[in-house]
Amino acid sequence: MEFTASGSVVGRAGPADHAQARPGAAALGLPAAGALLGGSALSLVGLTWDVQWHEDVGPDTFFTLPHLFLYSGSAVAGLASLAVVLATTAAQRAGRRVDPTLGGMPVGVFGRTFTAPLGYLVAGVGAASFLLYGLWDQWWHSLYGFDAVIDSPPHIGLLLSVTGTMIGTIVVFAAGRRHRWGPPGVVVSTAMLLAFSTVTVLGLQGLDGVVDAVAVGLAFLTTLLLVLASEFASRRPGGGLATAAVLALLQAVFWWFSPWAAHAYADLVGLPLRDYALAIPVMPALMPVCAVAVGALVDLPRWTSRRRTGPGRAAGLATGALGGALVAGLNGVQQHWLYGTHLPGTATLAATAALGAVAGLAAGLLGRGFGIMLRGVADVPAGRSAPGVPPGATAAATPVSPEGAR
Amino acid sequence: MTGRAVAARLRTGAVALLAAVGLTAAATAPAAAEEYQPVETVHTERVQVGPYGMTVGFSTWPLHAMRSLDFTFTPDDGIAGKSGTLTAIGPDNPGARPQPLARHPRKRDVWGLDVRALPVEGQWTFRFTIDGPAGPGVGELTGLTVLAQPGPPMAVSWSISTLPLLGLVAFLVVAWRRVRPGRAPAAGAASG
């Protein structure tokens, strides 16, 4: 596996780089990035299946099939990241220029013992962390039993570890934004992270009071990731809406898949469904139905200002706050609609929506910044030398392979 | 690189991905029903629910906060033709809501709670209602003592478990300070 620059380079790379480069390397970026995305998908499928299993069937062991999907997801992502880091390290040691569009700016690890593209480093650290928290979870269950509680400390540690891997996946696709597969990969991987995070925010349940802390956390993450996708798409408006549409697609697929998989697996192992099992898809029900509206909302300033100098900061802040208020305020309504639970009281709804607006405001600011950072993740700042990359190399000097040129 | 060569590379990647998943899955066989532990009862209490005598079984004893166990609820003449509710009232939730009594997933001839933990230490009360051939009845198992939570304090456990989040925040702060996206031009004007 080669992770060095291809021979077709535009921009500021010098002649020496051409001499060191090898053709066709850019085409290998997609299989590696695809492996990360595949790992994320396995984790997502495993999570929705596992949550549904506990809701509708019940018994737990360390090696259920949904658990294996979760473990496999991190294993695939971790192995892919390790392979890329080793290949990049070998390329760097051989004196070949490392292509920053294949995983992001390369950084030195353990001094400069290893050279790791930023995205694969983040994804790999997430996978390694998952392994450690798996051990922590096993110890936890040996002490407390196999309670099927999603928001136990080790479970949240595991979910956060997968979150790290999924963030690394976004970085990898963002780095490849000049390749054909880069931008759609960012949309899909961001939607997958948002879908996955609907369970992670359940860790905030302990903070619930007058304000629905889970709804506020969901508002923050939804706004953050949709604004990030919108900002990353930059001059091509629609990143937020496209990401929300993929989330809606995942929601629809899992709405069918989750109960089907849980019940089919129960049949396979000869276990009955619980009495009073509602068979409502648990994880899809956590995903905000209003995300499509919020996606369109955060894209709105970009659409309306396309022919001018860009959306004003005030417009971005306002849409972020409104999006946050929508997600937070409608979360209780969605649960009432799906489960027939009591509607939250007026005070709770108002306080949750207000705090959601504040969270959305902050998320809008951060999401814009992260979107900008993602656009430049393959850039190496002028005057700073990353391992394997000559000073001054930027995304403008990225290799463009014949099949990846836009 | 030709389109055919790219396709070959993609196929290789897909095969590698599937092989990794297959190897991981093959390393461990999924659990079958018989591998799930049977429901054991190491301690019982008696409770009178109106006209119905009932035995409450515990798979571990004494009880500790957060340590999960199997509870079984067995009317003297079985659960056939009966329905009921359980309200688990703890020191922190005097207004707990009743839940229907459901069959235990691994012991289908009795009602029960599978691998459930009582979250806080103190005195708990289980309030039962049963409706059956002898009419409705209400009864309580009071003074159910739940001892202190084993293991490290929750603050320590949460500190350990949120380390990935702290690491992620630290990474983003460092990246933000280097890139300074706040100084970037307005989004629509940025390069695409």
Side-chain angles (χ1 to χ4, degrees), chain A residues 63 68 76 133 136 144 146 153 177 231 269 274-275 302 309 368 375, chain B residues 17 28 31 33 68 103 114-115 149-150 160-161 164 185 187 189-190 192:
Chain A
F63 293 117
L68 289 180
V76 167
Y133 279 99
W136 167 229
Y144 292 110
F146 264 96
R177 74 189 177 101
E231 180 63 43
V269 299
R274 287 184 191 279
D275 293 344
R302 208 169 308 279
T309 56
R368 177 177 181 271
R375 282 207 305 270
Chain B
L17 178 66
T28 52
S68 54
R103 287 175 293 172
D114 63 313
V115 202
Q149 165 215 338
I160 293 171
S161 294

PDB file of all heavy atoms in Angstrom, chain A residues 63 68 76 133 136 144 146 153 177 231 269 274-275 302 309 368 375, chain B residues 17 28 31 33 68 103 114-115 149-150 160-161 164 185 187 189-190 192:
ATOM      1  N   PHE A  63     -20.627 -11.843  24.152  1.00  0.00           N
ATOM      2  CA  PHE A  63     -20.519 -12.207  22.735  1.00  0.00           C
ATOM      3  C   PHE A  63     -21.890 -12.420  22.100  1.00  0.00           C
ATOM      4  O   PHE A  63     -22.196 -13.504  21.625  1.00  0.00           O
ATOM      5  CB  PHE A  63     -19.655 -13.457  22.570  1.00  0.00           C
ATOM      6  CG  PHE A  63     -18.225 -13.221  22.941  1.00  0.00           C
ATOM      7  CD1 PHE A  63     -17.653 -13.894  23.998  1.00  0.00           C
ATOM      8  CD2 PHE A  63     -17.465 -12.313  22.238  1.00  0.00           C
ATOM      9  CE1 PHE A  63     -16.329 -13.674  24.353  1.00  0.00           C
ATOM     10  CE2 PHE A  63     -16.148 -12.070  22.586  1.00  0.00           C
ATOM     11  CZ  PHE A  63     -15.576 -12.756  23.647  1.00  0.00           C
ATOM     12  N   LEU A  68     -20.801  -8.289  18.499  1.00  0.00           N
ATOM     13  CA  LEU A  68     -19.736  -8.605  17.550  1.00  0.00           C
ATOM     14  C   LEU A  68     -19.656  -7.557  16.438  1.00  0.00           C
ATOM     15  O   LEU A  68     -18.567  -7.232  15.965  1.00  0.00           O
ATOM     16  CB  LEU A  68     -19.951  -9.995  16.949  1.00  0.00           C
ATOM     17  CG  LEU A  68     -19.719 -11.163  17.907  1.00  0.00           C
ATOM     18  CD1 LEU A  68     -19.955 -12.486  17.198  1.00  0.00           C
ATOM     19  CD2 LEU A  68     -18.306 -11.119  18.466  1.00  0.00           C
ATOM     20  N   VAL A  76     -12.096  -3.252  12.429  1.00  0.00           N
ATOM     21  CA  VAL A  76     -11.839  -2.931  11.014  1.00  0.00           C
ATOM     22  C   VAL A  76     -11.219  -1.540  10.896  1.00  0.00           C
ATOM     23  O   VAL A  76     -10.213  -1.343  10.194  1.00  0.00           O
ATOM     24  CB  VAL A  76     -13.153  -3.025  10.206  1.00  0.00           C
ATOM     25  CG1 VAL A  76     -12.974  -2.406   8.829  1.00  0.00           C
ATOM     26  CG2 VAL A  76     -13.595  -4.482  10.080  1.00  0.00           C
ATOM     27  N   TYR A 133     -11.443   0.473  26.704  1.00  0.00           N
ATOM     28  CA  TYR A 133     -12.719   0.618  27.406  1.00  0.00           C
ATOM     29  C   TYR A 133     -13.531  -0.680  27.359  1.00  0.00           C
ATOM     30  O   TYR A 133     -14.396  -0.899  28.207  1.00  0.00           O
ATOM     31  CB  TYR A 133     -13.513   1.804  26.845  1.00  0.00           C
ATOM     32  CG  TYR A 133     -13.007   3.104  27.440  1.00  0.00           C
ATOM     33  CD1 TYR A 133     -12.118   3.906  26.746  1.00  0.00           C
ATOM     34  CD2 TYR A 133     -13.363   3.479  28.729  1.00  0.00           C
ATOM     35  CE1 TYR A 133     -11.610   5.064  27.303  1.00  0.00           C
ATOM     36  CE2 TYR A 133     -12.869   4.627  29.301  1.00  0.00           C
ATOM     37  CZ  TYR A 133     -11.992   5.421  28.586  1.00  0.00           C
ATOM     38  OH  TYR A 133     -11.487   6.549  29.161  1.00  0.00           O
ATOM     39  N   TRP A 136     -12.355  -2.282  30.422  1.00  0.00           N
ATOM     40  CA  TRP A 136     -12.967  -1.563  31.548  1.00  0.00           C
ATOM     41  C   TRP A 136     -14.423  -1.995  31.698  1.00  0.00           C
ATOM     42  O   TRP A 136     -14.905  -2.220  32.811  1.00  0.00           O
ATOM     43  CB  TRP A 136     -12.817  -0.062  31.265  1.00  0.00           C
ATOM     44  CG  TRP A 136     -13.567   0.987  32.044  1.00  0.00           C
ATOM     45  CD1 TRP A 136     -14.271   2.011  31.496  1.00  0.00           C
ATOM     46  CD2 TRP A 136     -13.626   1.190  33.457  1.00  0.00           C
ATOM     47  NE1 TRP A 136     -14.783   2.823  32.480  1.00  0.00           N
ATOM     48  CE2 TRP A 136     -14.396   2.341  33.695  1.00  0.00           C
ATOM     49  CE3 TRP A 136     -13.118   0.503  34.558  1.00  0.00           C
ATOM     50  CZ2 TRP A 136     -14.684   2.824  34.968  1.00  0.00           C
ATOM     51  CZ3 TRP A 136     -13.401   0.980  35.831  1.00  0.00           C
ATOM     52  CH2 TRP A 136     -14.158   2.126  36.033  1.00  0.00           C
ATOM     53  N   TYR A 144     -20.611  -5.444  38.643  1.00  0.00           N
ATOM     54  CA  TYR A 144     -22.003  -5.002  38.776  1.00  0.00           C
ATOM     55  C   TYR A 144     -22.997  -5.917  38.078  1.00  0.00           C
ATOM     56  O   TYR A 144     -24.200  -5.707  38.193  1.00  0.00           O
ATOM     57  CB  TYR A 144     -22.160  -3.586  38.198  1.00  0.00           C
ATOM     58  CG  TYR A 144     -21.452  -2.523  39.005  1.00  0.00           C
ATOM     59  CD1 TYR A 144     -20.319  -1.888  38.519  1.00  0.00           C
ATOM     60  CD2 TYR A 144     -21.914  -2.153  40.266  1.00  0.00           C
ATOM     61  CE1 TYR A 144     -19.666  -0.912  39.253  1.00  0.00           C
ATOM     62  CE2 TYR A 144     -21.271  -1.189  41.013  1.00  0.00           C
ATOM     63  CZ  TYR A 144     -20.141  -0.571  40.494  1.00  0.00           C
ATOM     64  OH  TYR A 144     -19.502   0.381  41.240  1.00  0.00           O
ATOM     65  N   PHE A 146     -24.390  -8.051  34.393  1.00  0.00           N
ATOM     66  CA  PHE A 146     -24.641  -7.666  33.002  1.00  0.00           C
ATOM     67  C   PHE A 146     -25.923  -6.852  32.898  1.00  0.00           C
ATOM     68  O   PHE A 146     -26.866  -7.215  32.206  1.00  0.00           O
ATOM     69  CB  PHE A 146     -24.700  -8.908  32.098  1.00  0.00           C
ATOM     70  CG  PHE A 146     -23.389  -9.197  31.430  1.00  0.00           C
ATOM     71  CD1 PHE A 146     -22.504 -10.105  31.969  1.00  0.00           C
ATOM     72  CD2 PHE A 146     -23.038  -8.514  30.274  1.00  0.00           C
ATOM     73  CE1 PHE A 146     -21.286 -10.355  31.364  1.00  0.00           C
ATOM     74  CE2 PHE A 146     -21.823  -8.763  29.660  1.00  0.00           C
ATOM     75  CZ  PHE A 146     -20.943  -9.671  30.206  1.00  0.00           C
ATOM     76  N   PRO A 153     -20.901   4.240  32.960  1.00  0.00           N
ATOM     77  CA  PRO A 153     -19.639   4.903  32.592  1.00  0.00           C
ATOM     78  C   PRO A 153     -18.815   4.174  31.525  1.00  0.00           C
ATOM     79  O   PRO A 153     -18.384   4.808  30.552  1.00  0.00           O
ATOM     80  CB  PRO A 153     -18.903   4.999  33.937  1.00  0.00           C
ATOM     81  CG  PRO A 153     -19.997   5.074  34.948  1.00  0.00           C
ATOM     82  CD  PRO A 153     -21.092   4.183  34.421  1.00  0.00           C
ATOM     83  N   ARG A 177     -11.048  15.969  -0.210  1.00  0.00           N
ATOM     84  CA  ARG A 177     -12.161  16.729  -0.802  1.00  0.00           C
ATOM     85  C   ARG A 177     -11.935  17.063  -2.266  1.00  0.00           C
ATOM     86  O   ARG A 177     -12.870  17.397  -2.964  1.00  0.00           O
ATOM     87  CB  ARG A 177     -12.422  18.003  -0.003  1.00  0.00           C
ATOM     88  CG  ARG A 177     -11.410  19.111  -0.183  1.00  0.00           C
ATOM     89  CD  ARG A 177     -11.677  20.209   0.833  1.00  0.00           C
ATOM     90  NE  ARG A 177     -10.694  21.266   0.752  1.00  0.00           N
ATOM     91  CZ  ARG A 177     -10.903  22.420   0.147  1.00  0.00           C
ATOM     92  NH1 ARG A 177     -12.044  22.659  -0.451  1.00  0.00           N
ATOM     93  NH2 ARG A 177      -9.963  23.339   0.122  1.00  0.00           N
ATOM     94  N   GLU A 231     -20.739  24.271   6.268  1.00  0.00           N
ATOM     95  CA  GLU A 231     -19.543  25.108   6.100  1.00  0.00           C
ATOM     96  C   GLU A 231     -18.507  24.396   5.236  1.00  0.00           C
ATOM     97  O   GLU A 231     -17.846  25.009   4.401  1.00  0.00           O
ATOM     98  CB  GLU A 231     -18.952  25.439   7.472  1.00  0.00           C
ATOM     99  CG  GLU A 231     -17.704  26.291   7.426  1.00  0.00           C
ATOM    100  CD  GLU A 231     -17.963  27.665   6.818  1.00  0.00           C
ATOM    101  OE1 GLU A 231     -18.988  28.276   7.161  1.00  0.00           O
ATOM    102  OE2 GLU A 231     -17.135  28.114   6.004  1.00  0.00           O
ATOM    103  N   VAL A 269     -31.704 -17.816  18.261  1.00  0.00           N
ATOM    104  CA  VAL A 269     -31.133 -18.390  19.485  1.00  0.00           C
ATOM    105  C   VAL A 269     -32.213 -18.937  20.413  1.00  0.00           C
ATOM    106  O   VAL A 269     -31.918 -19.381  21.518  1.00  0.00           O
ATOM    107  CB  VAL A 269     -30.261 -17.355  20.235  1.00  0.00           C
ATOM    108  CG1 VAL A 269     -29.107 -16.917  19.378  1.00  0.00           C
ATOM    109  CG2 VAL A 269     -31.088 -16.158  20.677  1.00  0.00           C
ATOM    110  N   ARG A 274     -39.896 -10.029  24.989  1.00  0.00           N
ATOM    111  CA  ARG A 274     -40.426  -9.624  26.296  1.00  0.00           C
ATOM    112  C   ARG A 274     -41.940  -9.443  26.213  1.00  0.00           C
ATOM    113  O   ARG A 274     -42.465  -9.018  25.176  1.00  0.00           O
ATOM    114  CB  ARG A 274     -39.850  -8.256  26.707  1.00  0.00           C
ATOM    115  CG  ARG A 274     -38.414  -8.248  27.124  1.00  0.00           C
ATOM    116  CD  ARG A 274     -38.078  -6.839  27.576  1.00  0.00           C
ATOM    117  NE  ARG A 274     -36.663  -6.629  27.769  1.00  0.00           N
ATOM    118  CZ  ARG A 274     -35.993  -6.983  28.863  1.00  0.00           C
ATOM    119  NH1 ARG A 274     -36.635  -7.566  29.859  1.00  0.00           N
ATOM    120  NH2 ARG A 274     -34.709  -6.748  28.960  1.00  0.00           N
ATOM    121  N   ASP A 275     -42.621  -9.732  27.326  1.00  0.00           N
ATOM    122  CA  ASP A 275     -44.005  -9.294  27.434  1.00  0.00           C
ATOM    123  C   ASP A 275     -43.991  -7.764  27.376  1.00  0.00           C
ATOM    124  O   ASP A 275     -43.079  -7.116  27.903  1.00  0.00           O
ATOM    125  CB  ASP A 275     -44.598  -9.735  28.779  1.00  0.00           C
ATOM    126  CG  ASP A 275     -44.731 -11.247  28.862  1.00  0.00           C
ATOM    127  OD1 ASP A 275     -44.656 -11.902  27.817  1.00  0.00           O
ATOM    128  OD2 ASP A 275     -44.882 -11.762  29.995  1.00  0.00           O
ATOM    129  N   ARG A 302     -26.374  30.517   3.207  1.00  0.00           N
ATOM    130  CA  ARG A 302     -25.458  30.278   2.089  1.00  0.00           C
ATOM    131  C   ARG A 302     -26.195  30.359   0.759  1.00  0.00           C
ATOM    132  O   ARG A 302     -25.690  30.870  -0.213  1.00  0.00           O
ATOM    133  CB  ARG A 302     -24.808  28.904   2.260  1.00  0.00           C
ATOM    134  CG  ARG A 302     -23.441  28.779   1.641  1.00  0.00           C
ATOM    135  CD  ARG A 302     -22.791  27.494   2.083  1.00  0.00           C
ATOM    136  NE  ARG A 302     -22.806  27.354   3.530  1.00  0.00           N
ATOM    137  CZ  ARG A 302     -21.933  27.954   4.319  1.00  0.00           C
ATOM    138  NH1 ARG A 302     -20.992  28.695   3.813  1.00  0.00           N
ATOM    139  NH2 ARG A 302     -22.009  27.800   5.627  1.00  0.00           N
ATOM    140  N   THR A 309     -21.057  38.367  -0.777  1.00  0.00           N
ATOM    141  CA  THR A 309     -19.758  38.042  -0.189  1.00  0.00           C
ATOM    142  C   THR A 309     -19.830  36.892   0.799  1.00  0.00           C
ATOM    143  O   THR A 309     -18.838  36.539   1.406  1.00  0.00           O
ATOM    144  CB  THR A 309     -19.210  39.265   0.551  1.00  0.00           C
ATOM    145  OG1 THR A 309     -20.170  39.693   1.516  1.00  0.00           O
ATOM    146  CG2 THR A 309     -18.901  40.377  -0.417  1.00  0.00           C
ATOM    147  N   ARG A 368     -19.064  26.075  12.418  1.00  0.00           N
ATOM    148  CA  ARG A 368     -18.461  26.848  11.325  1.00  0.00           C
ATOM    149  C   ARG A 368     -16.934  26.729  11.383  1.00  0.00           C
ATOM    150  O   ARG A 368     -16.272  26.499  10.363  1.00  0.00           O
ATOM    151  CB  ARG A 368     -18.895  28.311  11.438  1.00  0.00           C
ATOM    152  CG  ARG A 368     -18.249  29.201  10.387  1.00  0.00           C
ATOM    153  CD  ARG A 368     -18.749  30.638  10.475  1.00  0.00           C
ATOM    154  NE  ARG A 368     -18.141  31.456   9.440  1.00  0.00           N
ATOM    155  CZ  ARG A 368     -16.996  32.113   9.577  1.00  0.00           C
ATOM    156  NH1 ARG A 368     -16.331  32.045  10.715  1.00  0.00           N
ATOM    157  NH2 ARG A 368     -16.504  32.828   8.580  1.00  0.00           N
ATOM    158  N   ARG A 375     -11.852  21.918   5.863  1.00  0.00           N
ATOM    159  CA  ARG A 375     -11.490  22.252   4.483  1.00  0.00           C
ATOM    160  C   ARG A 375      -9.977  22.332   4.316  1.00  0.00           C
ATOM    161  O   ARG A 375      -9.439  22.081   3.246  1.00  0.00           O
ATOM    162  CB  ARG A 375     -12.123  23.588   4.079  1.00  0.00           C
ATOM    163  CG  ARG A 375     -13.591  23.518   3.734  1.00  0.00           C
ATOM    164  CD  ARG A 375     -13.982  24.621   2.756  1.00  0.00           C
ATOM    165  NE  ARG A 375     -13.637  25.953   3.198  1.00  0.00           N
ATOM    166  CZ  ARG A 375     -14.433  26.738   3.923  1.00  0.00           C
ATOM    167  NH1 ARG A 375     -15.620  26.306   4.265  1.00  0.00           N
ATOM    168  NH2 ARG A 375     -14.044  27.935   4.294  1.00  0.00           N
TER     169      ARG A 375
ATOM    170  N   LEU B  17     -11.933  -5.980   3.882  1.00  0.00           N
ATOM    171  CA  LEU B  17     -12.888  -5.551   4.897  1.00  0.00           C
ATOM    172  C   LEU B  17     -13.755  -6.730   5.342  1.00  0.00           C
ATOM    173  O   LEU B  17     -13.919  -6.993   6.539  1.00  0.00           O
ATOM    174  CB  LEU B  17     -13.759  -4.429   4.342  1.00  0.00           C
ATOM    175  CG  LEU B  17     -14.855  -3.871   5.254  1.00  0.00           C
ATOM    176  CD1 LEU B  17     -14.234  -3.178   6.448  1.00  0.00           C
ATOM    177  CD2 LEU B  17     -15.731  -2.894   4.496  1.00  0.00           C
ATOM    178  N   THR B  28     -15.420 -15.764  17.614  1.00  0.00           N
ATOM    179  CA  THR B  28     -16.344 -15.969  18.721  1.00  0.00           C
ATOM    180  C   THR B  28     -17.704 -16.318  18.159  1.00  0.00           C
ATOM    181  O   THR B  28     -18.211 -15.613  17.313  1.00  0.00           O
ATOM    182  CB  THR B  28     -16.475 -14.689  19.549  1.00  0.00           C
ATOM    183  OG1 THR B  28     -16.780 -13.638  18.656  1.00  0.00           O
ATOM    184  CG2 THR B  28     -15.216 -14.389  20.315  1.00  0.00           C
ATOM    185  N   ALA B  31     -23.891 -16.080  21.045  1.00  0.00           N
ATOM    186  CA  ALA B  31     -24.470 -16.831  22.144  1.00  0.00           C
ATOM    187  C   ALA B  31     -25.788 -17.463  21.738  1.00  0.00           C
ATOM    188  O   ALA B  31     -26.592 -16.863  21.057  1.00  0.00           O
ATOM    189  CB  ALA B  31     -24.693 -15.893  23.318  1.00  0.00           C
ATOM    190  N   ALA B  33     -29.348 -19.617  23.134  1.00  0.00           N
ATOM    191  CA  ALA B  33     -30.199 -19.459  24.317  1.00  0.00           C
ATOM    192  C   ALA B  33     -29.668 -20.250  25.508  1.00  0.00           C
ATOM    193  O   ALA B  33     -29.694 -19.783  26.646  1.00  0.00           O
ATOM    194  CB  ALA B  33     -31.612 -19.892  23.986  1.00  0.00           C
ATOM    195  N   SER B  68     -26.554  -5.639  39.549  1.00  0.00           N
ATOM    196  CA  SER B  68     -27.761  -6.172  38.925  1.00  0.00           C
ATOM    197  C   SER B  68     -27.987  -7.632  39.308  1.00  0.00           C
ATOM    198  O   SER B  68     -27.041  -8.372  39.603  1.00  0.00           O
ATOM    199  CB  SER B  68     -27.687  -6.024  37.415  1.00  0.00           C
ATOM    200  OG  SER B  68     -26.508  -6.612  36.927  1.00  0.00           O
ATOM    201  N   ARG B 103     -43.424 -11.625  32.331  1.00  0.00           N
ATOM    202  CA  ARG B 103     -42.704 -12.886  32.545  1.00  0.00           C
ATOM    203  C   ARG B 103     -41.194 -12.662  32.429  1.00  0.00           C
ATOM    204  O   ARG B 103     -40.756 -11.851  31.606  1.00  0.00           O
ATOM    205  CB  ARG B 103     -43.147 -13.927  31.514  1.00  0.00           C
ATOM    206  CG  ARG B 103     -44.534 -14.472  31.756  1.00  0.00           C
ATOM    207  CD  ARG B 103     -44.957 -15.410  30.647  1.00  0.00           C
ATOM    208  NE  ARG B 103     -45.122 -14.697  29.389  1.00  0.00           N
ATOM    209  CZ  ARG B 103     -45.343 -15.291  28.211  1.00  0.00           C
ATOM    210  NH1 ARG B 103     -45.403 -16.601  28.147  1.00  0.00           N
ATOM    211  NH2 ARG B 103     -45.490 -14.578  27.115  1.00  0.00           N
ATOM    212  N   ASP B 114     -35.244  -9.103  34.741  1.00  0.00           N
ATOM    213  CA  ASP B 114     -33.987  -9.747  34.381  1.00  0.00           C
ATOM    214  C   ASP B 114     -32.822  -8.780  34.487  1.00  0.00           C
ATOM    215  O   ASP B 114     -32.853  -7.680  33.939  1.00  0.00           O
ATOM    216  CB  ASP B 114     -34.063 -10.329  32.960  1.00  0.00           C
ATOM    217  CG  ASP B 114     -34.259  -9.270  31.904  1.00  0.00           C
ATOM    218  OD1 ASP B 114     -35.133  -8.416  32.105  1.00  0.00           O
ATOM    219  OD2 ASP B 114     -33.530  -9.289  30.900  1.00  0.00           O
ATOM    220  N   VAL B 115     -31.825  -9.220  35.224  1.00  0.00           N
ATOM    221  CA  VAL B 115     -30.567  -8.476  35.342  1.00  0.00           C
ATOM    222  C   VAL B 115     -30.846  -6.982  35.572  1.00  0.00           C
ATOM    223  O   VAL B 115     -30.412  -6.124  34.825  1.00  0.00           O
ATOM    224  CB  VAL B 115     -29.670  -8.668  34.100  1.00  0.00           C
ATOM    225  CG1 VAL B 115     -28.212  -8.364  34.456  1.00  0.00           C
ATOM    226  CG2 VAL B 115     -29.771 -10.054  33.537  1.00  0.00           C
ATOM    227  N   GLN B 149     -23.105   0.879  47.205  1.00  0.00           N
ATOM    228  CA  GLN B 149     -22.594   0.474  45.898  1.00  0.00           C
ATOM    229  C   GLN B 149     -21.166  -0.046  46.038  1.00  0.00           C
ATOM    230  O   GLN B 149     -20.340   0.580  46.697  1.00  0.00           O
ATOM    231  CB  GLN B 149     -22.610   1.709  44.991  1.00  0.00           C
ATOM    232  CG  GLN B 149     -21.801   1.602  43.730  1.00  0.00           C
ATOM    233  CD  GLN B 149     -21.166   2.933  43.353  1.00  0.00           C
ATOM    234  OE1 GLN B 149     -21.637   3.987  43.772  1.00  0.00           O
ATOM    235  NE2 GLN B 149     -20.097   2.882  42.587  1.00  0.00           N
ATOM    236  N   PRO B 150     -20.860  -1.188  45.436  1.00  0.00           N
ATOM    237  CA  PRO B 150     -19.463  -1.654  45.444  1.00  0.00           C
ATOM    238  C   PRO B 150     -18.632  -0.873  44.438  1.00  0.00           C
ATOM    239  O   PRO B 150     -19.164  -0.093  43.639  1.00  0.00           O
ATOM    240  CB  PRO B 150     -19.608  -3.122  45.030  1.00  0.00           C
ATOM    241  CG  PRO B 150     -20.825  -3.150  44.168  1.00  0.00           C
ATOM    242  CD  PRO B 150     -21.761  -2.095  44.715  1.00  0.00           C
ATOM    243  N   ILE B 160     -12.804   8.418  34.551  1.00  0.00           N
ATOM    244  CA  ILE B 160     -12.089   7.494  33.662  1.00  0.00           C
ATOM    245  C   ILE B 160     -12.797   7.408  32.306  1.00  0.00           C
ATOM    246  O   ILE B 160     -12.168   7.441  31.246  1.00  0.00           O
ATOM    247  CB  ILE B 160     -11.989   6.096  34.318  1.00  0.00           C
ATOM    248  CG1 ILE B 160     -11.093   6.158  35.557  1.00  0.00           C
ATOM    249  CG2 ILE B 160     -11.481   5.055  33.318  1.00  0.00           C
ATOM    250  CD1 ILE B 160     -11.111   4.886  36.391  1.00  0.00           C
ATOM    251  N   SER B 161     -14.122   7.335  32.367  1.00  0.00           N
ATOM    252  CA  SER B 161     -14.881   7.065  31.131  1.00  0.00           C
ATOM    253  C   SER B 161     -15.001   8.272  30.225  1.00  0.00           C
ATOM    254  O   SER B 161     -15.334   8.121  29.044  1.00  0.00           O
ATOM    255  CB  SER B 161     -16.275   6.551  31.497  1.00  0.00           C
ATOM    256  OG  SER B 161     -16.163   5.298  32.117  1.00  0.00           O
ATOM    257  N   PRO B 164     -11.815   9.956  26.863  1.00  0.00           N
ATOM    258  CA  PRO B 164     -11.820  10.187  25.403  1.00  0.00           C
ATOM    259  C   PRO B 164     -12.411  11.546  25.038  1.00  0.00           C
ATOM    260  O   PRO B 164     -11.949  12.194  24.094  1.00  0.00           O
ATOM    261  CB  PRO B 164     -12.685   9.041  24.870  1.00  0.00           C
ATOM    262  CG  PRO B 164     -12.607   7.976  25.895  1.00  0.00           C
ATOM    263  CD  PRO B 164     -12.494   8.691  27.213  1.00  0.00           C
ATOM    264  N   PRO B 185     -12.293  34.013   6.137  1.00  0.00           N
ATOM    265  CA  PRO B 185     -13.312  34.830   5.494  1.00  0.00           C
ATOM    266  C   PRO B 185     -14.682  34.200   5.643  1.00  0.00           C
ATOM    267  O   PRO B 185     -14.810  33.023   5.973  1.00  0.00           O
ATOM    268  CB  PRO B 185     -12.873  34.866   4.025  1.00  0.00           C
ATOM    269  CG  PRO B 185     -12.011  33.670   3.855  1.00  0.00           C
ATOM    270  CD  PRO B 185     -11.336  33.467   5.169  1.00  0.00           C
ATOM    271  N   ALA B 187     -18.112  32.354   5.077  1.00  0.00           N
ATOM    272  CA  ALA B 187     -18.166  31.015   4.484  1.00  0.00           C
ATOM    273  C   ALA B 187     -18.410  31.036   2.987  1.00  0.00           C
ATOM    274  O   ALA B 187     -17.752  30.334   2.240  1.00  0.00           O
ATOM    275  CB  ALA B 187     -19.258  30.208   5.181  1.00  0.00           C
ATOM    276  N   ALA B 189     -17.720  33.151   0.942  1.00  0.00           N
ATOM    277  CA  ALA B 189     -16.631  33.744   0.189  1.00  0.00           C
ATOM    278  C   ALA B 189     -15.376  32.891   0.215  1.00  0.00           C
ATOM    279  O   ALA B 189     -14.414  33.172  -0.461  1.00  0.00           O
ATOM    280  CB  ALA B 189     -16.319  35.131   0.738  1.00  0.00           C
ATOM    281  N   ALA B 190     -15.417  31.851   1.058  1.00  0.00           N
ATOM    282  CA  ALA B 190     -14.222  31.021   1.173  1.00  0.00           C
ATOM    283  C   ALA B 190     -14.045  30.178  -0.074  1.00  0.00           C
ATOM    284  O   ALA B 190     -14.957  29.951  -0.833  1.00  0.00           O
ATOM    285  CB  ALA B 190     -14.333  30.120   2.401  1.00  0.00           C
ATOM    286  N   GLY B 192     -13.615  27.084  -2.218  1.00  0.00           N
ATOM    287  CA  GLY B 192     -14.297  25.839  -2.158  1.00  0.00           C
ATOM    288  C   GLY B 192     -13.545  24.726  -2.572  1.00  0.00           C
ATOM    289  O   GLY B 192     -13.877  23.689  -2.804  1.00  0.00           O
TER     290      GLY B 192
END
